[in-house]
Each structure stands twice: as structure tokens, then as C-alpha cells.
Amino acid sequence: MKFLAVVFYFFLIVFQVSQAANTTQHHGGFVPGKYFDRVVIFVFENKYYSSVIKNRHFASLPKKYSGKLLTNYIATTHPSQPNYIALISGSTKGTNEDDESNIDRQSVVDLLEKKHISWKSYQENYPGGCNKNMDIGTYARKHNPFMSFTNISGNKKRCANIVNAKQLDRDIAHNKVPQYVFYTPNLNHDAHDKSTAYAGHWFSRFLAKRIRNPAFNKNTLFIVTFDEDDGGNDSKNHVYTALLGPNLNKKLSSAKDAGHYNHYSVLRTVEDNWDLGTLQTNDETANAFKL
Ligand SMILES: *[C@@H]1O[C@H](CO)[C@@H](O)[C@H](O)[C@H]1NC(C)=O
Ligand SMILES: *[C@@H]1O[C@H](CO)[C@@H](O)[C@H](O)[C@H]1NC(C)=O
Ligand SMILES: *[C@@H]1O[C@H](CO)[C@@H](O)[C@H](O)[C@H]1NC(C)=O
């Protein structure tokens, strides 16, 4: 009997150890990337490159946080929503301007999940609970592209990764920030309803409070972009984009980069970093950022 009990406990321990290992690999664990172990994408709204680089807050970010300015980054289209859809799926197909879109196509989430890379969409003023409404106070679904993919919005577990942005501070406190972070400020903070100056002031304080925290910045690439320019008649859709890496293992190579980049480059950079393959959309031909 004693022998059987020993055998039983032996297998129980082996089982628990293997379960723990599995949990670490798939949930708590980090899948290391070639250039970074985490990406955090912030998207602002509707301002010309030329006006944003004149704002002292946006202008100073690259210098402050070991970053670089991309001087030749062109947004995809107008209005807002297709730009967001482009950022996470490499195409604007199926987008209904700024109206409700329900797209049956793959997105970056499909690629990330195949490799067990954690992700979340942090949305300011989003009420949670997979709420599918278009406009709720200062939250706008058109700026939350994940909700437009039917196999995210129609899947409870995936939809639970779309959270109110207040969750970010709890995730930092518990060292649980996922590896792919998409952060959408509300309509005031993102410069949609307020000025570039207002957004710049808000964002510089937001970052200053968090970006030195290893639970947020450890070997992390921060991408700060605008969905589109002001859309005036002659506009080229040239927008401000900065890459920040205050704690990247490998320092960014220059202060300015005039390479041809666009929203598809964001996706391609993420794909290359973790060897995800592509979605066979515009990510195929997009330039990844030089890191
Ligand atoms: C490990 O976890 C994955 C998903 O979380 C599951 O599909 C798989 O069966 C688990 N493997 C073992 C050996 O428990
Ligand atoms: C999501 O939908 C796309 C398009 O139908 C499909 O290719 C992909 O496999 C789906 N992903 C999951 C996890 O169901
Ligand atoms: C833009 O300018 C062109 C040429 O001056 C004009 O034909 C067109 O109507 C203008 N479009 C808008 C939206 O103002």
C-alpha cells in the first residue's frame, strides 16, 4: 500500500509540474521576439504631420524616450475606421466607412494566438462586456478595430481581451501587461474632439507616469501614430509616427528615419518580430520598421 501511495504521489507531482510548465508557456510566459518582447501601439486622430511636430510634447517624445521620428509615414485613407482596420489586418476590405463593420477575415489576433502571444485592446471609456455599440460617451467603436472582426466580437473569450483602459494600471501593478497592446485614448485625449496641444499635454503626462515601469517598458517597443491627417483637399495623409524604446535591448539606430512606412508597416513589424508569417494582405509588401 505504501508503495502504491508513493507511486501515486510521484505521478501527481509529475502531473502538476507539467501543468505548471504548460501554464507558464501559454499564459504567464513571454514569447521572446527578435527586436522586442512587447509592442504597445497608441493611435491619435486626424492631425497633419506638420502641425504635430510643432507641438512640444509630441516633438520631444523621441529624444526623451530613446526613440526615433518616422518622417515619411503615410496613413492609408479617410475616414478613421479603415485606418484602424488596416493597422491590425493589412487591408481596409469590408470596412463600412465609420459605420458598424462586421468583417469575416483574419487579423493580427489570429497570428498572435497561434504563437500563444498575449494581446489586449485597451479602450478609454469603453464599458466592457463586449459592448458592440458604436458611440458611448467619449468611446467610439470605430477606433476599436478588434470589435469589427466577427470572430473576435462573436467569441466571448477573445472579446474579453477588449477592456476599459483603466485595466492597464492594474495589469502594470500585477506585471500582467500582454505582449501586444493596442491603446486607444478617448475622443478628447486622442485629439479627435480637442486640439493637438490638449492631446500632447495629456499624453506626455500619461507616459511619464508609466513608461519607466519595467512591468510596462521591459524590452518594449512603443509606437505612437495618428490614424489620418486632417483630410484637407491637398492632403497627402502624412502623419506623425514615433517609435520609442526606453528599455529596448537593442537601441534604435537613428533619431530620424525617412523610410517609406504606413499602417501596414506596424503589422509587418509585429509579424517579423515573432515570425508570425503574414495575413497575405498589404502586409506582404509593407516595409517593416528598421530596428
Ligand atoms: C497545454 O495548454 C494548451 C492550451 O492552453 C492545451 O491545449 C494543451 O492540451 C495543454 N497540454 C498539456 C500537456 O496539458
Ligand atoms: C477568424 O476568421 C477568419 C476568416 O473567416 C479565419 O480564417 C480564422 O481562422 C478565424 N479564426 C479563428 C480563431 O476562428
Ligand atoms: C479639391 O480640389 C480640386 C481641384 O482644385 C477640386 O476639383 C475638388 O472639388 C476639391 N475637393 C474638395 C473635397 O474640396
Side-chain angles (χ1 to χ4, degrees), residues 10-109:
F10 175 76
F11 280 107
L12 188 68
I13 287 164
V14 167
F15 175 73
Q16 283 181 338
V17 166
S18 74
Q19 282 290 303
N22 200 30
T23 307
T24 310
Q25 188 184 341
H26 292 141
H27 303 290
F30 254 48
V31 180
K34 264 184 240 164
Y35 309 105
F36 49 86
D37 294 335
R38 181 191 292 120
V39 64
V40 178
I41 302 160
F42 290 100
V43 189
F44 289 82
E45 276 284 316
N46 302 5
K47 297 287 184 267
Y48 292 114
Y49 174 85
S50 54
S51 73
V52 176
I53 55 163
K54 279 185 207 124
N55 172 267
R56 69 187 167 95
H57 294 298
F58 283 110
S60 65
L61 291 178
K63 199 162 174 210
K64 233 169 163 173
Y65 299 124
S66 315
K68 68 170 159 184
L69 180 68
L70 306 182
T71 59
N72 195 9
Y73 185 112
I74 308 296
T76 306
T77 186
H78 300 291
S80 288
Q81 184 161 256
N83 290 289
Y84 288 80
I85 299 293
L87 276 163
I88 71 162
S89 75
S91 165
T92 61
K93 267 202 200 125
T95 331
N96 188 15
E97 297 252 305
D98 275 344
D99 295 340
E100 182 175 333
S101 298
N102 293 296
I103 303 171
D104 180 13
R105 212 156 36 77
Q106 283 199 302
S107 70
V108 69
V109 164

Side-chain angles (χ1 to χ4, degrees), residues 104-106 110 113 151 158:
D104 180 13
R105 212 156 36 77
Q106 283 199 302
D110 292 291
E113 289 186 355
N151 73 12
R158 289 177 137 196

